[in-house]
Amino acid sequence: MSLANQFAAYTAWRSRLSTNIGEFQDWLSQNELSDAQTDLRLAQLLERLREDRLNVAFVAEFSRGKSELINAIFFAEYGSRMLPSSAGRTTMCPTELLFDGSKLPCIELLPIQTRASNSSVSEYKRFPDEWTVVGLDIESPDAMQDSLRHVSETSRVTPEEAARLGFEVGQGEIELYRVGDDGLVEVPRWRHAVINFPHPLLKQGLVILDTPGLNAIGAEPELTLSLLPNAHAVLFILAADTGVTQSDLAIWKEHICGGGTARRGRMVVMNKIDGQWDELKTDEEIDAEIQRQVDTSASILDLPASQIFPVSAQKGLVAKINGDDALLEKSRLPLLELALSEELIPAKRDIVCDNTDSEFGEVSRRVRGLLESRLVGLREQLTELTELRGKNKGVVEYMMGKVRAEKDEFESGLQRYYAVRSVFSTLTNRLFAHLGLDVLRQLTQDTREAMLEAAFSKTLSDSMGNFFGRSREALVKSNDEINEILAMMAAVYKRFAVEHGLKLGAPTSFSLLRYEKEIDRLEAWCDGHLNTMVSLLTHDKRNITQKFFEEVAVQVRRAFEHANKDAETWLGAIMAPMETQVREHQIQLKRRLESIKRIHQATDTLEDRIVELESVEKNLLLQIQSLEDIAGRIREMLLPLDIQELQAA
């Protein structure tokens, strides 16, 4: 099956998963087993599944055939080139291809001048007025080609303006940005492009990121700090006619392999092998020449040769459009698509499964505990009523007094519960005093002032180090508060389980370690790009300050925003089981007391009441079985699955 069909199979699986979780949510509501916390968690889970994106980044220097490879893999079924592809630099700025049903087909272009601000591309996405919009006529391939050429537009600016916008004039292995005879420098007109196109794959959640070479990657650090690390797959494209150039190697070492260890979903493509096709050579000689190039590139990149995929994107695209199976096989494109699907789709599915299992598992266990608690309470009532058969009125009064005493004891114990709520609230406030965004805003402001007032390079360096140190300290202190909350709730869970028979299990654990590691990653990037002796001595203080806050501080704030959201979700999850069990235990005690009262007052016969409770017991057992059936279907969908099984499903 083609990669498109495999992706469609994954999308269908995700859709079935969403349907099952939606049915589970409806079942909870119909059986009056839901609450505000449960509804919120399931709604957020369904929203994440609906918003699920599959991000594939294509990274290469100019003229490696990157746009043609995107056309060949994803858009051949369209019958023509979607992205412009020709000799030279056709992609001038980072370009995202996606589908947003709330907008008409269009190209959104962010002016290059926005680089001079302190705002990232993701922040500018919140302000549509800042973007230039070009309509896409999807009914006319020619009109669409004309519109897409806007992505390649350039502007001519002074060398000073080019430097202010982050372009290194006359530097590097190839001087991409050099001063012309008119004294001006040609730079991209646009900083970022978003192409909204209703292609079937994009509708299913595929997002393609097309990046235009080392100079652009280095000038737009959001790519290296956020977009590329978060991509589910990165295809690094070489050209068979150039091999691994110095700039190729720089991209590989700095932005992709991450210090020598290639992550899952990172693949190398050697494009343009059709340049080796020679009618004067045998197929064996051609294959041997291509293999020599693969082996050489593998040695330079320090990779096994099996991780480099030689292809001809141009011939593969032609073969797909014309239905030429022989040419398609010769292009070797199907081998790359197979490897991509075996890496990309299972990896993405694993991420979705882990997230779903965490959220759904917690909710289903809580509901199962609630039903079992009801069943235990009901059976206690049945036992009490069954023991009253043939007993006199005095025994009934004794039983009523016993249940009333038990209820009074539990009501007394509730004072501890309210005390726990009070302490929990205090600890929560202390947690957000460390983790909250107000603290980070103040730290950011203090750091900016210190950097702008710095008279020496060491002061600049110390200010950046202090920013990371205090950010990390805030996370460490927050973790201490989390551990204190966790220890307190574990003790309370255990005490209420022993004293009142509540089935609470162990509280859900939580840690901010992933965000501490993110701070470490960002500091390492800063130390390698901004906080170096060369940068501090050769760059203007304001330039370094601007880059630090535009590139690094934005990512730190984003990490804290995610940490806050995760902490809020966890705090709700850790208290919800206890609140539910306490409320349920109160209801059961009240029902037991009312049941015995009715028998004592002769407003209900003993046998009628026993029959009624036995009927409720059967319904509870059916509910538990129904819960297990629904949960079983969802858990089965989350089991490990290879691509063939996914396609068969």
Side-chain angles (χ1 to χ4, degrees):
M1 294 179 71
S2 69
L3 177 61
N5 287 337
Q6 292 163 355
F7 185 38
Y10 161 78
T11 305
W13 167 83
R14 188 186 62 206
S15 177
R16 292 196 305 274
L17 180 61
S18 296
T19 299
N20 277 294
I21 292 173
E23 289 176 357
F24 175 65
Q25 190 177 33
D26 292 341
W27 180 85
L28 290 178
S29 178
Q30 291 166 7
N31 288 274
E32 299 181 350
L33 291 166
S34 192
D35 54 46
Q37 179 68 23
T38 299
D39 282 341
L40 177 62
R41 296 184 72 172
L42 290 178
Q44 289 175 340
L45 176 56
L46 287 170
E47 183 66 20
R48 283 199 298 272
L49 287 172
R50 278 192 295 269
E51 296 287 323
D52 181 48
R53 295 281 193 240
L54 193 63
N55 299 295
V56 183
F58 287 73
V59 181
E61 272 294 26
F62 295 111
S63 299
R64 300 296 190 261
K66 174 168 39 67
S67 297
E68 191 78 324
L69 185 62
I70 295 174
N71 286 326
I73 293 177
F74 297 107
F75 300 107
E77 289 79 2
Y78 193 67
S80 63
R81 290 184 175 94
M82 179 180 171
L83 294 180
S85 177
S86 59
R89 297 156 62 182
T90 55
T91 305
M92 294 298 294
C93 66
T95 303
E96 289 181 86
L97 290 90
L98 48 79
F99 176 70
D100 182 349
S102 66
K103 300 177 181 178
L104 293 173
C106 65
I107 307 171
E108 296 173 293
L109 300 159
L110 184 64
I112 195 66
Q113 286 73 22
T114 58
R115 272 193 183 169
S117 73
N118 292 326
S119 300
S120 64
V121 172
S122 59
E123 287 184 295
Y124 272 109
K125 287 181 178 179
R126 303 175 185 174
F127 303 98
D129 292 345
E130 299 286 343
W131 298 69
T132 298
V133 179
V134 177
L136 271 181
D137 182 0
I138 60 175
E139 302 299 328
S140 170
D142 292 338
M144 202 160 66
Q145 286 282 0
D146 289 339
S147 297
L148 288 166
R149 290 193 183 97
H150 285 285
V151 177
S152 305
E153 291 176 337
T154 60
S155 297
R156 298 192 67 79
V157 299
T158 64
E160 294 76 19
E161 177 69 3
R164 190 174 74 90
L165 295 175
F167 297 104
E168 297 181 355
V169 180
Q171 297 184 23
E173 177 194 3
I174 301 175
E175 294 183 5
L176 294 175
Y177 304 102
R178 64 181 68 186
V179 180
D181 294 338
D182 58 358
L184 300 177
V185 180
E186 185 179 70
V187 300
R189 183 180 177 186
W190 310 109
R191 179 182 181 183
H192 197 88
V194 178
I195 301 174
N196 184 39
F197 179 69
H199 185 279
L201 285 178
L202 301 182
K203 284 184 176 181
Q204 292 175 24
L206 177 68
V207 176
I208 297 172
L209 176 64
D210 187 3
T211 61
L214 175 61
N215 195 283
I217 292 176
E220 195 63 72
E222 189 170 3
L223 286 171
T224 59
L225 288 174
S226 179
L227 294 178
L228 290 181
N230 292 328
H232 300 105
V234 175
L235 272 68
F236 179 53
I237 298 101
L238 305 171
D241 54 353
T242 61
V244 183
T245 66
Q246 189 174 352
S247 58
D248 287 328
L249 189 59
I251 292 178
W252 173 256
K253 287 184 175 180
E254 187 170 352
H255 303 300
I256 299 178
C257 72
T261 55
R263 293 167 50 192
R264 186 177 184 183
R266 273 52 181 163
M267 308 170 73
V268 178
V269 179
M270 178 175 285
N271 194 21
K272 302 186 179 182
I273 61 169
D274 51 291
Q276 305 300 319
W277 297 354
D278 187 341
E279 294 179 357
L280 299 180
K281 294 181 181 179
T282 66
D283 290 345
E284 290 75 14
E285 289 173 328
I286 294 172
D287 289 344
E289 176 61 30
I290 293 173
Q291 189 59 46
R292 277 194 295 272
Q293 289 180 306
V294 168
D295 292 339
T296 301
S297 299
S299 176
I300 295 173
L301 298 177
D302 193 21
L303 277 178
S306 59
Q307 288 186 240
I308 298 181
F309 298 87
V311 303
S312 171
Q314 193 270 335
K315 300 304 181 188
L317 177 62
V318 171
K320 284 187 174 183
I321 291 175
N322 296 333
D324 188 337
D325 293 339
L327 181 60
L328 183 60
E329 183 178 359
K330 190 176 181 181
S331 74
R332 304 196 190 188
L333 189 64
L335 295 176
L336 171 62
E337 292 185 341
L338 177 62
L340 184 61
S341 65
E342 289 178 345
E343 282 275 340
L344 174 61
I345 295 176
K348 176 58 177 170
R349 185 182 181 278
D350 288 345
I351 294 171
V352 173
C353 285
D354 289 344
N355 292 338
T356 302
D357 185 56
S358 175
E359 288 294 327
F360 170 75
E362 174 68 27
V363 171
S364 64
R365 284 191 295 272
R366 183 140 56 93
V367 174
R368 176 64 188 258
L370 175 61
L371 289 175
E372 288 180 343
S373 174
R374 288 183 180 180
L375 189 60
V376 168
L378 183 68
R379 285 175 172 168
E380 286 180 0
Q381 288 187 59
L382 273 171
T383 300
E384 289 170 350
L385 295 184
T386 302
E387 289 175 352
L388 292 179
R389 281 173 169 155
K391 305 295 184 181
N392 58 32
K393 192 172 184 179
V395 174
V396 176
E397 290 176 349
Y398 169 77
M399 291 297 297
M400 188 166 58
K402 181 182 175 183
V403 175
R404 184 177 284 116
E406 188 177 339
K407 182 174 180 294
D408 291 341
E409 182 183 355
F410 183 74
E411 296 290 348
S412 175
L414 281 181
Q415 298 306 314
R416 287 194 298 274
Y417 166 71
Y418 296 132
V420 167
R421 291 277 318 183
S422 177
V423 175
F424 181 82
S425 178
T426 300
L427 293 176
T428 297
N429 291 336
R430 280 166 44 184
L431 167 61
F432 287 111
H434 300 308
L435 191 62
L437 296 178
D438 289 341
V439 176
L440 186 65
R441 288 191 193 97
Q442 186 61 48
L443 172 60
T444 302
Q445 182 178 335
D446 293 345
T447 304
R448 187 189 298 274
E449 291 174 357
M451 292 179 70
L452 290 174
E453 293 172 1
F456 302 99
S457 298
K458 186 177 185 305
T459 310
L460 272 179
S461 179
D462 289 345
S463 296
M464 288 185 272
N466 180 65
F467 177 82
F468 285 112
R470 288 176 60 185
S471 298
R472 193 177 290 103
E473 181 184 5
L475 291 176
V476 170
K477 288 182 177 179
S478 299
N479 254 330
D480 291 340
E481 299 295 345
I482 287 168
N483 290 333
E484 188 171 347
I485 292 172
L486 194 58
M488 181 192 75
M489 294 305 295
V492 171
Y493 274 28
K494 186 175 181 180
R495 184 166 186 174
F496 271 76
V498 171
E499 293 183 358
H500 305 292
L502 304 189
K503 294 189 175 182
L504 291 166
T508 306
S509 60
F510 179 62
S511 171
L512 295 172
L513 179 61
R514 60 178 293 193
Y515 297 107
E516 292 180 37
K517 290 186 176 296
E518 176 67 1
I519 297 298
D520 292 342
R521 183 182 76 86
L522 293 171
E523 184 172 24
W525 187 92
C526 180
D527 288 344
H529 292 79
L530 299 177
N531 195 11
T532 66
M533 188 59 66
V534 173
S535 293
L536 294 172
L537 292 177
T538 59
H539 289 82
D540 180 73
K541 175 183 66 176
R542 287 189 173 274
N543 181 264
I544 291 177
T545 301
Q546 177 177 320
K547 279 182 170 291
F548 180 80
F549 288 100
E550 178 183 330
E551 299 158 9
V552 181
V554 166
Q555 299 297 327
V556 172
R557 188 187 68 195
R558 192 167 297 163
F560 268 72
E561 286 172 350
H562 288 310
N564 271 266
K565 186 175 181 180
D566 287 351
E568 287 175 359
T569 301
W570 173 71
L571 290 168
I574 199 174
M575 182 57 77
M578 185 173 171
E579 291 177 333
T580 301
Q581 289 278 344
V582 166
R583 184 172 61 249
E584 191 65 25
H585 198 65
Q586 281 182 298
I587 293 171
Q588 293 298 338
L589 285 172
K590 184 178 179 181
R591 285 175 178 170
R592 285 170 60 196
L593 185 59
E594 288 177 350
S595 180
I596 296 175
K597 272 184 179 179
R598 287 165 66 183
I599 294 168
H600 180 258
Q601 296 169 354
T603 59
D604 199 0
T605 68
L606 179 60
E607 291 302 324
D608 288 344
R609 188 61 178 150
I610 289 175
V611 169
E612 181 184 338
L613 291 180
E614 286 175 341
S615 175
V616 175
E617 180 186 25
K618 288 179 181 178
N619 288 334
L620 273 174
L621 291 171
L622 288 174
Q623 283 184 323
I624 292 174
Q625 183 59 52
S626 180
L627 171 64
E628 286 302 307
D629 290 343
I630 296 173
R633 288 203 308 272
I634 295 175
R635 282 193 293 265
E636 187 175 351
M637 294 190 71
L638 302 179
L639 293 174
L641 195 70
D642 63 29
I643 194 64
Q644 286 77 21
E645 291 177 298
L646 182 60
Q647 292 168 7

